[in-house]
Amino acid sequence: MSNELSLTSGRANVMVYDDVNKKWVPAGTTNGFAKVHIYHHVVNNTYRVVGRKLQDQEVVINCAILKGLKYNQATPTFHQWRDNKRVYGLSFSSVDDANSFANTMLRAIDNL
Ligand SMILES: CCOC(=O)[C@@H]1C[C@@H](CC)[C@@H]2C=C[C@H]3CCN(C(=O)[C@@H]4CC[C@H]5C=C[C@]6(CCCN6C(=O)[C@H](Cc6ccccc6Cl)NC(C)=O)C(=O)N54)[C@@H]3C(=O)N12
């Protein structure tokens, strides 16, 4: 990640939606907070979301931010978006973290 800049990071419980059972499940092997970054690869002008569990650094999310992504701020601390495979949910530890992440996410999408 040396050629990628972290534009923001926040503390969130990273979830994915289990379409079969219609419920949110932890994105990693266990529930728990992760440090979730938005990285910018400046040369390629690409962006991605990468999150690692605070406890053991497990990578629980690593997904591209693609042009036209619809970022849904469902509640002040629960934000979500889809890719072609799954639905991601970030349950932030604070409204400030959520707002900072959302502002950077919306700027990234705008810049694609
Ligand atoms: C005590 C109850 O437990 C909870 O609080 C659970 C556990 C909480 C912590 C993890 C989490 C927190 C907050 C609330 C907030 C509401 N919410 C839901 O899930 C709602 C309710 C109904 C349910 C139905 C569908 C579902 C799931 C999959 C995606 N989706 C859509 O609607 C998408 C959204 C979207 C819109 C635009 C762009 C992108 C996308 Cl992704 N629409 C489409 C068109 O794709 C969704 O978000 N849904 C959360 C929730 O319940 N919980």
PDB file of all heavy atoms in Angstrom, residues 15 17 24 70 72 74-75 78 80-82 87 91, ligand 1:
ATOM      1  N   MET A  15     -19.932  -5.178   8.457  1.00  0.00           N
ATOM      2  CA  MET A  15     -20.948  -6.226   8.291  1.00  0.00           C
ATOM      3  C   MET A  15     -21.188  -6.475   6.804  1.00  0.00           C
ATOM      4  O   MET A  15     -20.925  -5.600   5.969  1.00  0.00           O
ATOM      5  CB  MET A  15     -22.287  -5.785   8.905  1.00  0.00           C
ATOM      6  CG  MET A  15     -22.194  -5.068  10.223  1.00  0.00           C
ATOM      7  SD  MET A  15     -21.648  -6.112  11.579  1.00  0.00           S
ATOM      8  CE  MET A  15     -23.071  -7.127  11.876  1.00  0.00           C
ATOM      9  N   TYR A  17     -24.418  -8.325   4.306  1.00  0.00           N
ATOM     10  CA  TYR A  17     -25.803  -8.781   4.440  1.00  0.00           C
ATOM     11  C   TYR A  17     -25.936 -10.200   3.919  1.00  0.00           C
ATOM     12  O   TYR A  17     -25.519 -10.494   2.801  1.00  0.00           O
ATOM     13  CB  TYR A  17     -26.754  -7.852   3.667  1.00  0.00           C
ATOM     14  CG  TYR A  17     -28.205  -8.058   4.009  1.00  0.00           C
ATOM     15  CD1 TYR A  17     -28.688  -7.707   5.274  1.00  0.00           C
ATOM     16  CD2 TYR A  17     -29.088  -8.617   3.089  1.00  0.00           C
ATOM     17  CE1 TYR A  17     -30.025  -7.894   5.607  1.00  0.00           C
ATOM     18  CE2 TYR A  17     -30.432  -8.796   3.410  1.00  0.00           C
ATOM     19  CZ  TYR A  17     -30.890  -8.438   4.677  1.00  0.00           C
ATOM     20  OH  TYR A  17     -32.201  -8.623   4.998  1.00  0.00           O
ATOM     21  N   TRP A  24     -27.757  -9.207   8.923  1.00  0.00           N
ATOM     22  CA  TRP A  24     -26.373  -8.728   8.843  1.00  0.00           C
ATOM     23  C   TRP A  24     -25.468  -9.643   9.636  1.00  0.00           C
ATOM     24  O   TRP A  24     -25.804 -10.029  10.745  1.00  0.00           O
ATOM     25  CB  TRP A  24     -26.268  -7.305   9.382  1.00  0.00           C
ATOM     26  CG  TRP A  24     -26.984  -6.307   8.554  1.00  0.00           C
ATOM     27  CD1 TRP A  24     -28.260  -5.847   8.720  1.00  0.00           C
ATOM     28  CD2 TRP A  24     -26.489  -5.675   7.381  1.00  0.00           C
ATOM     29  NE1 TRP A  24     -28.585  -4.962   7.728  1.00  0.00           N
ATOM     30  CE2 TRP A  24     -27.501  -4.828   6.903  1.00  0.00           C
ATOM     31  CE3 TRP A  24     -25.277  -5.719   6.705  1.00  0.00           C
ATOM     32  CZ2 TRP A  24     -27.345  -4.042   5.765  1.00  0.00           C
ATOM     33  CZ3 TRP A  24     -25.113  -4.929   5.593  1.00  0.00           C
ATOM     34  CH2 TRP A  24     -26.129  -4.101   5.121  1.00  0.00           C
ATOM     35  N   LYS A  70     -23.579   3.933  -5.036  1.00  0.00           N
ATOM     36  CA  LYS A  70     -24.577   4.644  -4.214  1.00  0.00           C
ATOM     37  C   LYS A  70     -24.302   4.342  -2.744  1.00  0.00           C
ATOM     38  O   LYS A  70     -24.427   3.191  -2.314  1.00  0.00           O
ATOM     39  CB  LYS A  70     -25.992   4.186  -4.584  1.00  0.00           C
ATOM     40  CG  LYS A  70     -26.502   4.825  -5.874  1.00  0.00           C
ATOM     41  CD  LYS A  70     -27.889   4.334  -6.222  1.00  0.00           C
ATOM     42  CE  LYS A  70     -28.930   4.707  -5.176  1.00  0.00           C
ATOM     43  NZ  LYS A  70     -30.251   4.103  -5.461  1.00  0.00           N
ATOM     44  N   ASN A  72     -25.310   4.730   0.938  1.00  0.00           N
ATOM     45  CA  ASN A  72     -26.549   5.003   1.673  1.00  0.00           C
ATOM     46  C   ASN A  72     -26.278   5.185   3.156  1.00  0.00           C
ATOM     47  O   ASN A  72     -25.812   4.259   3.829  1.00  0.00           O
ATOM     48  CB  ASN A  72     -27.538   3.843   1.477  1.00  0.00           C
ATOM     49  CG  ASN A  72     -28.892   4.170   2.086  1.00  0.00           C
ATOM     50  OD1 ASN A  72     -29.441   5.247   1.831  1.00  0.00           O
ATOM     51  ND2 ASN A  72     -29.410   3.273   2.903  1.00  0.00           N
ATOM     52  N   ALA A  74     -27.906   5.056   6.024  1.00  0.00           N
ATOM     53  CA  ALA A  74     -29.197   4.572   6.540  1.00  0.00           C
ATOM     54  C   ALA A  74     -29.544   5.197   7.888  1.00  0.00           C
ATOM     55  O   ALA A  74     -30.687   5.540   8.153  1.00  0.00           O
ATOM     56  CB  ALA A  74     -29.174   3.049   6.643  1.00  0.00           C
ATOM     57  N   THR A  75     -28.530   5.338   8.748  1.00  0.00           N
ATOM     58  CA  THR A  75     -28.706   6.028  10.035  1.00  0.00           C
ATOM     59  C   THR A  75     -27.438   6.849  10.247  1.00  0.00           C
ATOM     60  O   THR A  75     -26.464   6.704   9.511  1.00  0.00           O
ATOM     61  CB  THR A  75     -28.858   5.037  11.218  1.00  0.00           C
ATOM     62  OG1 THR A  75     -27.572   4.510  11.557  1.00  0.00           O
ATOM     63  CG2 THR A  75     -29.831   3.891  10.909  1.00  0.00           C
ATOM     64  N   PHE A  78     -24.868   4.083  10.724  1.00  0.00           N
ATOM     65  CA  PHE A  78     -24.870   2.845   9.929  1.00  0.00           C
ATOM     66  C   PHE A  78     -24.990   3.224   8.466  1.00  0.00           C
ATOM     67  O   PHE A  78     -26.018   3.676   7.990  1.00  0.00           O
ATOM     68  CB  PHE A  78     -26.020   1.894  10.311  1.00  0.00           C
ATOM     69  CG  PHE A  78     -25.943   0.574   9.570  1.00  0.00           C
ATOM     70  CD1 PHE A  78     -25.052  -0.409   9.979  1.00  0.00           C
ATOM     71  CD2 PHE A  78     -26.724   0.327   8.447  1.00  0.00           C
ATOM     72  CE1 PHE A  78     -24.968  -1.627   9.297  1.00  0.00           C
ATOM     73  CE2 PHE A  78     -26.645  -0.883   7.757  1.00  0.00           C
ATOM     74  CZ  PHE A  78     -25.761  -1.862   8.190  1.00  0.00           C
ATOM     75  N   GLN A  80     -24.130   2.044   4.268  1.00  0.00           N
ATOM     76  CA  GLN A  80     -24.125   0.790   3.501  1.00  0.00           C
ATOM     77  C   GLN A  80     -23.984   1.085   2.005  1.00  0.00           C
ATOM     78  O   GLN A  80     -24.299   2.167   1.518  1.00  0.00           O
ATOM     79  CB  GLN A  80     -25.428   0.026   3.768  1.00  0.00           C
ATOM     80  CG  GLN A  80     -26.640   0.848   3.471  1.00  0.00           C
ATOM     81  CD  GLN A  80     -27.960   0.252   3.918  1.00  0.00           C
ATOM     82  OE1 GLN A  80     -28.954   0.936   3.953  1.00  0.00           O
ATOM     83  NE2 GLN A  80     -28.006  -1.025   4.277  1.00  0.00           N
ATOM     84  N   TRP A  81     -23.511   0.094   1.261  1.00  0.00           N
ATOM     85  CA  TRP A  81     -23.452   0.172  -0.189  1.00  0.00           C
ATOM     86  C   TRP A  81     -23.386  -1.247  -0.746  1.00  0.00           C
ATOM     87  O   TRP A  81     -23.124  -2.192   0.002  1.00  0.00           O
ATOM     88  CB  TRP A  81     -22.246   1.010  -0.672  1.00  0.00           C
ATOM     89  CG  TRP A  81     -20.893   0.395  -0.476  1.00  0.00           C
ATOM     90  CD1 TRP A  81     -20.178  -0.340  -1.384  1.00  0.00           C
ATOM     91  CD2 TRP A  81     -20.090   0.465   0.718  1.00  0.00           C
ATOM     92  NE1 TRP A  81     -18.985  -0.740  -0.826  1.00  0.00           N
ATOM     93  CE2 TRP A  81     -18.904  -0.247   0.443  1.00  0.00           C
ATOM     94  CE3 TRP A  81     -20.245   1.061   1.964  1.00  0.00           C
ATOM     95  CZ2 TRP A  81     -17.876  -0.385   1.386  1.00  0.00           C
ATOM     96  CZ3 TRP A  81     -19.226   0.922   2.908  1.00  0.00           C
ATOM     97  CH2 TRP A  81     -18.066   0.204   2.614  1.00  0.00           C
ATOM     98  N   ARG A  82     -23.645  -1.362  -2.053  1.00  0.00           N
ATOM     99  CA  ARG A  82     -23.639  -2.665  -2.718  1.00  0.00           C
ATOM    100  C   ARG A  82     -22.475  -2.722  -3.681  1.00  0.00           C
ATOM    101  O   ARG A  82     -22.071  -1.712  -4.247  1.00  0.00           O
ATOM    102  CB  ARG A  82     -24.905  -2.818  -3.577  1.00  0.00           C
ATOM    103  CG  ARG A  82     -26.222  -2.775  -2.875  1.00  0.00           C
ATOM    104  CD  ARG A  82     -27.330  -2.905  -3.921  1.00  0.00           C
ATOM    105  NE  ARG A  82     -27.309  -1.747  -4.810  1.00  0.00           N
ATOM    106  CZ  ARG A  82     -28.215  -0.759  -4.731  1.00  0.00           C
ATOM    107  NH1 ARG A  82     -29.176  -0.804  -3.830  1.00  0.00           N
ATOM    108  NH2 ARG A  82     -28.137   0.279  -5.528  1.00  0.00           N
ATOM    109  N   VAL A  87     -23.662  -6.812  -0.131  1.00  0.00           N
ATOM    110  CA  VAL A  87     -23.999  -5.512   0.463  1.00  0.00           C
ATOM    111  C   VAL A  87     -23.139  -5.364   1.716  1.00  0.00           C
ATOM    112  O   VAL A  87     -23.083  -6.286   2.542  1.00  0.00           O
ATOM    113  CB  VAL A  87     -25.490  -5.440   0.854  1.00  0.00           C
ATOM    114  CG1 VAL A  87     -25.818  -4.057   1.412  1.00  0.00           C
ATOM    115  CG2 VAL A  87     -26.360  -5.727  -0.367  1.00  0.00           C
ATOM    116  N   SER A  91     -21.015  -0.176  10.713  1.00  0.00           N
ATOM    117  CA  SER A  91     -21.668   0.295  11.928  1.00  0.00           C
ATOM    118  C   SER A  91     -20.598   1.038  12.736  1.00  0.00           C
ATOM    119  O   SER A  91     -19.781   0.424  13.421  1.00  0.00           O
ATOM    120  CB  SER A  91     -22.224  -0.903  12.715  1.00  0.00           C
ATOM    121  OG  SER A  91     -23.023  -0.473  13.769  1.00  0.00           O
TER     122      SER A  91
HETATM  123  C1  LIG B   1     -32.650  -4.329  15.652  1.00  0.00           C
HETATM  124  C2  LIG B   1     -32.620  -4.510  14.162  1.00  0.00           C
HETATM  125  O1  LIG B   1     -31.308  -4.865  13.780  1.00  0.00           O
HETATM  126  C3  LIG B   1     -30.647  -3.859  13.218  1.00  0.00           C
HETATM  127  O2  LIG B   1     -30.752  -2.713  13.479  1.00  0.00           O
HETATM  128  C4  LIG B   1     -29.707  -4.320  12.097  1.00  0.00           C
HETATM  129  C5  LIG B   1     -28.318  -4.624  12.654  1.00  0.00           C
HETATM  130  C6  LIG B   1     -27.706  -3.256  12.649  1.00  0.00           C
HETATM  131  C7  LIG B   1     -26.179  -3.202  12.713  1.00  0.00           C
HETATM  132  C8  LIG B   1     -25.494  -4.073  11.735  1.00  0.00           C
HETATM  133  C9  LIG B   1     -28.240  -2.628  11.347  1.00  0.00           C
HETATM  134  C10 LIG B   1     -28.264  -1.160  11.527  1.00  0.00           C
HETATM  135  C11 LIG B   1     -29.090  -0.257  11.035  1.00  0.00           C
HETATM  136  C12 LIG B   1     -30.327  -0.466  10.263  1.00  0.00           C
HETATM  137  C13 LIG B   1     -30.660   0.601   9.227  1.00  0.00           C
HETATM  138  C14 LIG B   1     -31.724  -0.138   8.390  1.00  0.00           C
HETATM  139  N1  LIG B   1     -31.200  -1.524   8.361  1.00  0.00           N
HETATM  140  C15 LIG B   1     -31.483  -2.493   7.468  1.00  0.00           C
HETATM  141  O3  LIG B   1     -30.918  -3.562   7.488  1.00  0.00           O
HETATM  142  C16 LIG B   1     -32.598  -2.241   6.482  1.00  0.00           C
HETATM  143  C17 LIG B   1     -33.927  -2.669   7.092  1.00  0.00           C
HETATM  144  C18 LIG B   1     -34.625  -3.348   5.948  1.00  0.00           C
HETATM  145  C19 LIG B   1     -33.467  -4.094   5.274  1.00  0.00           C
HETATM  146  C20 LIG B   1     -33.731  -4.488   3.885  1.00  0.00           C
HETATM  147  C21 LIG B   1     -32.733  -4.425   2.957  1.00  0.00           C
HETATM  148  C22 LIG B   1     -31.398  -3.878   3.276  1.00  0.00           C
HETATM  149  C23 LIG B   1     -30.431  -5.015   3.598  1.00  0.00           C
HETATM  150  C24 LIG B   1     -29.599  -5.181   2.342  1.00  0.00           C
HETATM  151  C25 LIG B   1     -29.572  -3.808   1.706  1.00  0.00           C
HETATM  152  N2  LIG B   1     -30.829  -3.185   2.150  1.00  0.00           N
HETATM  153  C26 LIG B   1     -31.387  -2.073   1.598  1.00  0.00           C
HETATM  154  O4  LIG B   1     -32.427  -1.636   2.020  1.00  0.00           O
HETATM  155  C27 LIG B   1     -30.644  -1.358   0.496  1.00  0.00           C
HETATM  156  C28 LIG B   1     -30.001  -0.128   1.100  1.00  0.00           C
HETATM  157  C29 LIG B   1     -29.277   0.669   0.041  1.00  0.00           C
HETATM  158  C30 LIG B   1     -29.904   1.770  -0.506  1.00  0.00           C
HETATM  159  C31 LIG B   1     -29.262   2.520  -1.490  1.00  0.00           C
HETATM  160  C32 LIG B   1     -27.996   2.174  -1.917  1.00  0.00           C
HETATM  161  C33 LIG B   1     -27.356   1.066  -1.376  1.00  0.00           C
HETATM  162  C34 LIG B   1     -28.008   0.313  -0.401  1.00  0.00           C
HETATM  163 CL1  LIG B   1     -27.218  -1.058   0.259  1.00  0.00          CL
HETATM  164  N3  LIG B   1     -31.559  -0.983  -0.562  1.00  0.00           N
HETATM  165  C35 LIG B   1     -31.353  -1.392  -1.810  1.00  0.00           C
HETATM  166  C36 LIG B   1     -32.349  -0.896  -2.803  1.00  0.00           C
HETATM  167  O5  LIG B   1     -30.397  -2.113  -2.104  1.00  0.00           O
HETATM  168  C37 LIG B   1     -31.436  -2.967   4.443  1.00  0.00           C
HETATM  169  O6  LIG B   1     -30.525  -2.152   4.621  1.00  0.00           O
HETATM  170  N4  LIG B   1     -32.421  -3.092   5.319  1.00  0.00           N
HETATM  171  C38 LIG B   1     -30.220  -1.713   9.418  1.00  0.00           C
HETATM  172  C39 LIG B   1     -30.507  -2.853  10.312  1.00  0.00           C
HETATM  173  O7  LIG B   1     -31.622  -3.386  10.350  1.00  0.00           O
HETATM  174  N5  LIG B   1     -29.553  -3.211  11.172  1.00  0.00           N
END
